[in-house]
C-alpha cells in the first residue's frame, strides 16, 4: 500500500513507538478486549469443545470446498441471486464496477468487508468515478482520515477520541474541540442516515454463506449492513470462497464463537440472513479466490483459510498491541495477516512472519484453532529458502552455525562470553548493536560453565 | 538413573551460575548427572531465524553428545522445546526420536519424573515468576490464561516449597517479555517496549527478584532493569530452588 512507502514492520513499529502514551493506551485498550474475551470464554463450560467443533467444520469445508461452492451457487441462483466468480482482486473490482455501471449508479454505501480492503476496491471505484461511503462507524472514521483500517474488527483502534473529534470537525462540521464519544456518535448517526436514505446500492461483506440454503449471513453491531441493504435497489455481497459453511446448523457453533472471541459479547447485535432479493431488488454475490486456492495447495499453510476474522489473535498479540495495525502494511494485520500475506506477495511481506516472538498466544485464542505461531515459524523457513532474506543475515547465520556445529571451534572461541559477543546477532558487542540502545549487555562471567565444570568436576 | 545435563550456549557463556545450580540441585536430589563436554547449542537461534536447514550438524552433534542417557535435562524451556520439536537426523532418526522423547525442562523433570514434594531451600524474598512462553505454551509447564481449563503451574508448585519465599501476583500472568531470539534486535523498538512493560508489572507488584525457567527472557529483562538502574534482580529458577 502506497501509504507505507515501502517501509517494513520494524521501521513502522518504531515510528508507532515514538508516541509512548499512544502505545500504552493501544496496548491497554486491546488487552481489555482480550480480558473481556477471556471472561466470555470462561463462562462457557464447553468452550474448548466448541473450538474443536468449529475447527472440524472448517477442516471439512476446506477439504470439500468445490462441492460446497457448487451447491451454494445452485441454491443461490434458485433464490434469485446473481452469482459471479472472480479469480483475483482485479476481476472482483471489475465485476463490482460493471454491475454499478449497468445499474447507472455512482453513489453507493458499503458495510464492513475485509475482502474489499484486500482488493483495494474503494480506491478502484474512486478512480472510476464511483463515490463510496463506508457505513461502519470505525471504517467511516478511517475513510475520512484517508487511511486503511488498522484492525479487522476495530478499524480505528489506533485513533484517540481527540483525533476523531478533529476529523469530525473538519468533515462533518462538529464544534472544534468536541471529542465526547456520545456527541460524535450522534452526529455520525445523522450523517449516515442521510447516506442510507440517498444511496441506491450497497456493498456488504459476508461472514458466512450456507451451501445448504444459498443464503449468507452478515454480522454487525451497528446494523449498518441492514440499513444499507434494506433501502438499496442493488445489493452486492463480496465474499472469499472460504466463507462457506455446509449447513445452517453450523451457525450455532460459529456464531457462538465469533463475537465472544472478537469482543466478549455473546453474539453480534445483528446477525442478518440474506436469502433472496426483495421484489424489485437485484442481489449479487461475488465469490473471490485471490490467492486462496494457492494457499489451499500449501499443506503447511492451508488451514489459515479456516479464519473467521474475529480479531482475537490481534488483541492477544503482544507485538500487535505495541506496533499498531498499520505496521503490517497489509489489509489484514496481526498474526493472521502475517501468515496470509506472504501467500499474496512473498517479497513484499517477507518481514511479517518475523514480526513475532512465537509466543503462541494467538493459536490459543483462535476459535477455529489455526496453528498460527507454527505457521509463522514455517513461513520463515520458506522465505529464507526462496531467497527473500538479506545477504548480511545469511552471512551471520553461517558464521554462527560454523561455531555452533563444532565443539572445538566453540571451545576455542575464547574465554567466557567472548565468542558470544562476537557471533550472536543480539549480543554482538559494537555500539551499533540495537540491543544496547535501550538495554544493558550482560557482563561476561569469570569463567564459562564448561570451564568451571572441567576444573571442578573434571573427568 | 543416568541424566545428561544440557546447558544452552548462552547459559554456558553468560550465566554459569544457573547451570551450576541446576547441576547441584539434581545432585542433591540423588540424580547421577553427567555433562557431556562436547555440547554446544540446540540450533534454535538459526532455526527460529528461518535457517533450520543449517542446523543438521548441530543436530548430529547433539545426538552424539546425548545418546545413552535415561533422561536429558535442561534449564531452559525454549531449548528443550526446540529439541522436542525439531531434532531430526538423516543418519539415525531412531536416536533422534529417542532423544526427543526423553528430553525434559528442569522444573517438569523435578515435578513429573522425580516427583519432588519437598525442597530444603531457603530464599526469604518477594519473587515474581515470569512464565516463559516456550516453556508455558510449548511444553505446557503451566496452564495458559487463553484456555478454559483448570489452573496448574509446575514452576510455581516448586517455588511454593521454598522456605521464606513470597510469590507476587502479576497483573498479566503470562504475557511474553519480548525477547524472541533475533526478534530482540530485528524488532528493537517493540522488543524493548515489551520488556519494559513486563518488568514494570513485576516492580509494580513488589517483586525484589524476577525468576523464570529461561535465562534468555531474564537476560533481556535484566538488560532493561539495569538500564533503568532498578534494584530488582533476575535469577534463574534453579538458583532459587537450590538456595540456602
Ligand atoms: S486467525 Fe483465528 S483468532 Fe485470528 S482472526 Fe482468524 S479466527 Fe480469529
Amino acid at each position: 500500500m502506497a501509504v507505507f512507502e515501502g517501509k517494513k514492520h520494524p521501521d513502522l513499529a518504531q515510528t508507532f513507538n515514538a508516541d509512548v502514551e499512544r502505545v500504552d493506551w493501544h496496548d491497554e485498550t486491546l488487552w481489555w478486549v482480550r480480558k473481556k474475551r477471556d471472561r466470555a470464554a470462561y463462562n462457557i463450560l464447553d468452550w474448548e469443545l466448541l473450538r474443536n467443533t468449529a475447527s472440524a467444520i472448517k477442516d471439512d469445508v476446506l477439504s470439500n470446498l468445490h462441492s460446497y461452492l457448487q451447491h451454494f451457487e445452485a441454491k443461490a441462483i434458485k433464490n434469485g441471486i446473481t452469482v459471479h466468480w472472480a479469480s483475483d482482486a482485479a476481476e472482483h473490482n471489475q465485476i463490482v464496477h460493471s454491475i454499478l455501471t449497468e445499474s447507472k449508479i455512482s453513489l453507493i454505501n458499503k458495510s464492513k468487508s475485509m475482502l474489499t480492503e484486500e482488493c483495494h476496491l474503494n480506491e478502484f471505484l474512486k478512480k472510476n468515478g464511483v463515490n463510496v461511503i463506508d457505513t461502519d462507524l470505525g471504517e467511516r472514521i478511517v475513510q475520512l482520515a484517508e487511511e486503511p483500517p488498522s484492525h479487522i474488527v476495530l478499524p480505528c483502534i489506533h485513533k484517540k477520541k481527540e483525533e476523531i473529534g478533529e476529523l469530525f470537525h473538519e468533515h462533518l462540521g462538529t464544534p472544534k474541540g468536541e471529542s465526547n464519544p456520545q456527541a460524535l456518535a450522534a452526529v455520525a448517526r445523522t450523517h449516515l442516515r442521510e447516506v442510507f436514505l440517498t444511496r441506491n446500492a450497497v456493498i456488504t461483506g459476508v461472514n458466512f454463506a450456507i451451501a445448504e440454503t444459498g443464503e449468507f449471513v452478515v454480522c454487525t453491531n451497528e446494523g449498518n449492513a441492514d440499513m444499507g441493504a434494506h433501502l438499496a435497489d442493488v445489493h452486492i455481497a463480496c465474499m472469499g470462497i472460504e466463507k462457506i459453511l455446509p449447513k445452517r446448523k453450523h451457525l450455532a457453533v460459529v456464531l457462538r464463537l465469533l463475537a465472544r472471541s472478537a469482543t466478549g459479547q455473546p453474539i453480534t447485535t445483528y446477525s442478518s440472513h440474506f436469502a433472496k432479493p426483495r421484489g424489485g431488488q437485484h442481489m449479487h454475490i461475488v465469490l473471490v479466490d485471490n490467492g486462496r486456492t494457492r494457499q489451499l495447495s500449501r499443506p503447511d499453510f492451508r488451514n489459515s483459510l479456516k479464519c473467521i476474522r474475529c480479531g482475537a489473535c490481534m488483541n492477544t498479540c503482544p507485538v500487535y498491541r505495541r506496533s499498531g495495525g498499520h505496521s503490517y502494511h497489509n489489509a489484514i494485520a496481526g498474526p493472521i495477516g502475517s501468515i496470509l500475506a506472504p501467500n499474496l506477495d512473498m517479497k513484499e511481506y517477507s518481514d511479517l512472519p518475523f514480526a513475532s516472538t512465537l509466543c503462541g498466544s494467538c493459536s490459543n485464542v483462535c476459535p477455529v484453532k489455526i496453528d498460527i505461531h507454527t505457521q509463522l515459524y514455517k513461513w520463515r523457513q520458506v522465505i529464507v529458502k526462496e531467497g527473500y532474506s538479506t545477504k548480511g543475515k545469511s552471512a551471520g547465520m553461517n558464521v554462527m552455525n560454523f561455531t555452533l556445529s563444532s565443539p572445538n571451534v566453540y571451545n576455542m572461541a575464547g574465554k567466557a562470553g567472548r565468542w558470544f559477543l562476537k557471533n550472536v546477532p543480539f549480543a554482538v558487542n559494537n555500539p551499533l548493536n540495537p540491543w544496547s540502545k535501550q538495554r544493558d549487555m550482560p557482563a561476561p562471567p569469570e569463567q564459562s560453565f564448561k570451564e568451571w565444570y572441567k576444573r571442578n568436576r573434571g573427568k | 538413573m543416568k541424566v545428561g545435563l544440557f546447558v544452552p550456549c548462552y547459559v554456558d557463556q553468560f550465566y554459569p551460575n544457573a547451570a551450576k545450580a541446576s547441576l547441584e540441585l539434581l545432585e542433591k536430589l540423588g540424580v547421577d548427572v553427567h555433562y557431556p563436554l562436547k555440547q554446544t547449542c540446540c540450533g534454535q537461534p538459526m532455526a527460529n531465524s528461518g535457517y533450520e536447514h543449517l542446523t543438521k550438524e548441530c543436530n548430529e552433534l547433539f545426538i552424539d553428545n546425548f545418546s545413552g542417557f535415561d533422561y536429558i535435562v535442561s534449564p531452559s524451556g525454549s531449548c528443550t522445546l526446540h529439541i522436542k520439536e525439531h531434532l531430526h537426523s538423516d543418519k539415525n532418526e531412531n536416536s533422534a526420536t529417542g532423544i526427543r522423547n526423553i528430553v525434559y525442562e528442569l522444573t517438569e523433570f523435578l515435578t513429573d519424573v522425580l516427583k519432588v514434594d519437598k525442597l530444603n531451600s531457603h530464599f526469604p524474598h518477594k519473587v515474581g515468576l515470569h512464565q516463559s512462553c516456550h516453556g508455558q505454551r510449548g511444553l505446557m509447564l503451566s496452564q495458559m490464561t487463553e484456555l478454559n481449563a483448570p489452573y496448574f503451574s509446575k514452576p510455581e508448585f516448586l517455588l511454593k516449597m521454598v522456605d521464606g519465599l513470597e510469590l507476587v501476583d502479576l497483573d498479566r500472568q503470562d504475557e511474553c517479555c519480548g525477547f524472541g531470539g533475533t526478534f530482540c534486535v530485528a524488532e528493537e523498538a517493540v522488543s524493548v517496549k515489551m520488556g519494559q512493560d513486563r518488568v514494570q508489572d513485576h516492580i509494580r507488584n513488589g517483586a525484589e527478584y524476577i525468576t523464570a525457567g529461561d535465562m534468555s527472557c531474564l537476560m533481556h529483562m535484566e538488560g532493561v532493569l539495569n538500564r533503568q538502574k532498578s534494584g530488582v534482580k533476575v535469577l534463574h529458577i534453579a538458583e532459587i530452588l537450590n538456595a540456602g
Side-chain angles (χ1 to χ4, degrees):
Chain A
M1 269 179 238
V3 273
F4 305 116
E5 296 158 353
K7 287 204 184 112
K8 297 295 186 192
H9 188 273
D11 286 339
L12 294 162
Q14 189 176 24
T15 308
F16 188 74
N17 271 273
D19 184 347
V20 179
E21 215 182 292
R22 187 192 301 271
V23 184
D24 284 340
W25 162 83
H26 190 261
D27 166 59
E28 274 154 28
T29 309
L30 290 167
W31 181 254
W32 177 75
V33 180
R34 152 78 207 266
K35 287 200 1 201
K36 274 177 72 189
R37 171 256 169 225
D38 288 352
R39 279 195 294 276
Y42 298 163
N43 275 333
I44 298 219
L45 214 54
D46 287 337
W47 180 255
E48 303 305 331
L49 175 64
L50 211 51
R51 288 175 70 220
N52 284 328
T53 310
S55 170
I57 293 169
K58 281 293 202 173
D59 276 335
D60 170 59
V61 166
L62 295 182
S63 299
N64 300 290
L65 193 54
H66 83 286
S67 65
Y68 288 134
L69 281 166
Q70 284 175 330
H71 259 98
F72 175 74
E73 180 185 37
K75 286 282 177 189
I77 291 172
K78 223 179 189 175
N79 294 347
I81 303 176
T82 312
V83 179
H84 310 258
W85 298 83
S87 63
D88 56 18
E91 195 178 356
H92 161 264
N93 294 347
Q94 285 295 349
I95 291 169
V96 173
H97 183 233
S98 64
I99 297 169
L100 295 171
T101 312
E102 266 167 41
S103 320
K104 300 193 174 50
I105 292 175
S106 60
L107 298 174
I108 66 169
N109 81 79
K110 176 160 122 342
S111 73
K112 195 140 97 242
S113 149
M114 287 319 295
L115 175 73
T116 60
E117 293 295 333
E118 175 187 322
C119 297
H120 304 300
L121 178 69
N122 279 15
E123 291 151 47
F124 176 85
L125 289 180
K126 192 172 169 190
K127 261 190 229 135
N128 287 281
V130 178
N131 181 295
V132 185
I133 289 190
D134 283 314
T135 59
D136 171 273
L137 180 53
E139 289 235 310
R140 183 67 184 132
I141 291 166
V142 289
Q143 189 180 32
L144 291 175
E146 295 181 28
E147 288 174 12
S150 71
H151 186 293
I152 60 180
V153 173
L154 311 159
C156 68
I157 190 68
H158 61 291
K159 288 225 173 293
K160 296 184 189 170
K161 63 181 195 292
E162 291 75 21
E163 293 167 320
I164 297 169
E166 196 47 44
L167 277 172
F168 274 39
H169 170 65
E170 198 182 313
H171 296 277
L172 303 178
T174 52
K176 193 157 181 64
E178 177 64 85
S179 66
N180 177 322
Q182 253 161 354
L184 296 179
V187 172
R189 191 170 296 131
T190 315
H191 161 63
L192 290 173
R193 287 282 141 114
E194 180 68 20
V195 170
F196 294 130
L197 288 170
T198 54
R199 303 208 156 193
N200 255 338
V202 66
I203 294 176
T204 68
V206 170
N207 289 87
F208 306 102
I210 315 295
E212 175 189 35
T213 58
E215 76 197 272
F216 58 93
V217 180
V218 183
C219 303
T220 71
N221 273 332
E222 296 163 22
N224 56 309
D226 309 82
M227 296 279 264
H230 290 163
L231 292 171
D233 296 332
V234 179
H235 180 171
I236 308 170
C238 302
M239 64 177 268
I241 51 174
E242 81 284 16
K243 295 281 167 185
I244 287 277
L245 287 177
K247 291 188 188 304
R248 246 191 168 181
K249 67 175 184 191
H250 295 136
L251 288 169
V253 177
V254 290
L255 286 178
R256 284 184 89 195
L257 285 165
L258 178 63
R260 285 186 171 88
S261 300
T263 58
Q265 294 165 261
I267 193 160
T268 40
T269 315
Y270 300 88
S271 306
S272 307
H273 297 238
F274 295 92
K276 52 177 169 231
R278 288 190 321 270
Q281 191 195 37
H282 296 279
M283 191 177 273
H284 299 261
I285 290 177
V286 192
L287 291 157
V288 186
D289 180 346
N290 203 36
R292 285 162 177 75
T293 49
R294 187 169 57 239
Q295 186 86 325
L296 196 62
S297 72
R298 303 179 195 267
D300 284 342
F301 306 113
R302 57 177 264 148
N303 90 16
S304 60
L305 296 171
K306 294 197 291 187
C307 175
I308 58 171
R309 303 283 191 272
C310 71
C313 58
M314 304 179 176
N315 305 339
T316 202
C317 178
V319 176
Y320 175 89
R321 275 188 264 113
R322 293 178 185 80
S323 55
H326 290 158
S327 66
Y328 294 80
H329 55 96
N330 178 45
I332 303 192
I336 180 64
S338 302
I339 59 173
L340 291 174
N343 173 56
L344 294 174
D345 184 340
M346 215 181 289
K347 182 158 186 268
E348 169 67 15
Y349 300 114
S350 58
D351 53 327
L352 295 187
F354 295 90
S356 161
T357 59
L358 305 180
C359 79
S361 185
C362 47
S363 306
N364 274 350
V365 293
C366 178
V368 288
K369 299 191 83 161
I370 301 172
D371 54 342
I372 307 173
H373 72 294
T374 310
Q375 293 188 35
L376 288 166
Y377 176 89
K378 288 179 176 166
W379 268 120
R380 293 180 183 187
Q381 314 305 324
V382 174
I383 283 163
V384 167
K385 278 208 186 124
E386 301 278 321
Y388 297 118
S389 181
T390 64
K391 280 207 182 81
K393 190 170 159 192
S394 296
M397 287 295 153
N398 277 310
V399 170
M400 185 156 63
N401 181 46
F402 174 68
T403 327
L404 290 175
S405 50
S406 157
N408 290 333
V409 181
Y410 177 85
N411 291 346
M412 282 175 35
K415 232 173 102 54
R418 209 179 295 156
W419 166 80
F420 217 83
L421 293 171
K422 253 201 259 150
N423 293 298
V424 175
F426 53 82
V428 175
N429 197 14
N430 78 46
L432 295 176
N433 178 8
W435 176 281
S436 323
K437 223 170 114 188
Q438 304 182 73
R439 281 165 294 207
D440 282 4
M441 288 296 294
E446 281 296 307
Q447 53 187 356
S448 70
F449 175 71
K450 195 172 278 186
E451 289 166 329
W452 175 87
Y453 189 87
K454 279 186 190 157
R455 254 168 233 158
N456 293 279
R457 305 287 162 99
K459 282 166 220 165
Chain B
M1 184 193 293
K2 199 174 158 200
V3 166
L5 181 66
F6 162 44
V7 175
C9 53
Y10 65 93
V11 176
D12 172 50
Q13 294 271 314
F14 272 112
Y15 295 98
N17 289 340
K20 272 188 248 175
S22 306
L23 175 72
E24 288 171 5
L25 181 63
L26 289 167
E27 286 174 342
K28 272 191 214 167
L29 292 164
V31 179
D32 177 22
V33 194
H34 300 257
Y35 172 75
L37 284 166
K38 290 193 165 162
Q39 60 179 288
T40 57
C41 168
C42 64
Q44 178 173 210
M46 278 94 76
N48 278 4
S49 306
Y51 294 78
E52 191 181 332
H53 60 283
L54 290 182
T55 63
K56 288 194 170 150
E57 289 157 291
C58 265
N59 283 349
E60 297 301 345
L61 185 63
F62 195 92
I63 293 169
D64 288 348
N65 273 305
F66 287 99
S67 292
F69 289 107
D70 298 318
Y71 294 100
I72 299 155
V73 176
S74 177
S76 161
S78 189
C79 302
T80 302
L81 180 68
H82 180 76
I83 294 295
K84 259 196 186 313
E85 290 189 334
H86 300 291
L87 185 80
H88 290 287
S89 167
D90 293 337
K91 288 188 214 151
N92 196 346
E93 183 60 20
N94 276 348
S95 301
T97 309
I99 286 178
R100 289 201 307 274
N101 289 332
I102 56 159
V103 63
Y104 281 78
E105 181 274 341
L106 178 69
T107 62
E108 64 174 349
F109 183 73
L110 297 184
T111 59
D112 300 2
V113 179
L114 297 183
K115 305 206 188 299
V116 167
D117 56 9
K118 74 173 193 326
L119 288 165
N120 290 320
S121 39
H122 179 67
F123 193 76
H125 296 285
K126 287 182 145 188
V127 174
L129 170 63
H130 173 70
Q131 301 278 6
S132 305
C133 303
H134 290 173
Q136 189 201 19
R137 298 195 184 83
L139 297 172
M140 297 187 201
L141 301 181
S142 303
Q143 189 51 272
M144 303 151 263
T145 53
E146 299 92 2
L147 302 185
N148 183 351
Y151 180 77
F152 69 91
S153 168
K154 295 174 189 180
E156 191 183 296
F157 178 75
L158 293 167
L159 287 170
K160 285 191 168 155
M161 293 176 199
V162 177
D163 178 46
L165 184 146
E166 188 188 329
L167 264 178
V168 304
D169 285 332
L170 299 173
D171 298 337
R172 299 188 190 180
Q173 204 175 304
D174 51 11
E175 171 124 309
C176 177
C177 69
F179 172 67
T182 42
F183 177 88
C184 74
V185 285
E187 289 271 1
E188 189 265 347
V190 181
S191 172
V192 166
K193 181 66 179 135
M194 286 168 72
Q196 289 170 339
D197 289 355
R198 204 79 299 276
V199 303
Q200 206 44 51
D201 193 351
H202 288 265
I203 294 171
R204 188 165 57 236
N205 287 292
E208 298 163 64
Y209 288 86
I210 302 177
T211 192
D214 265 290
M215 220 47 237
S216 49
C217 307
L218 292 175
M219 171 170 71
H220 166 64
M221 287 191 276
E222 182 183 47
V224 170
L225 287 166
N226 288 350
R227 181 60 59 94
Q228 294 175 351
K229 310 233 174 304
S230 161
V232 174
K233 297 191 178 58
V234 303
L235 270 185
H236 190 273
I237 191 164
E239 294 175 81
I240 294 182
L241 299 180
N242 188 49

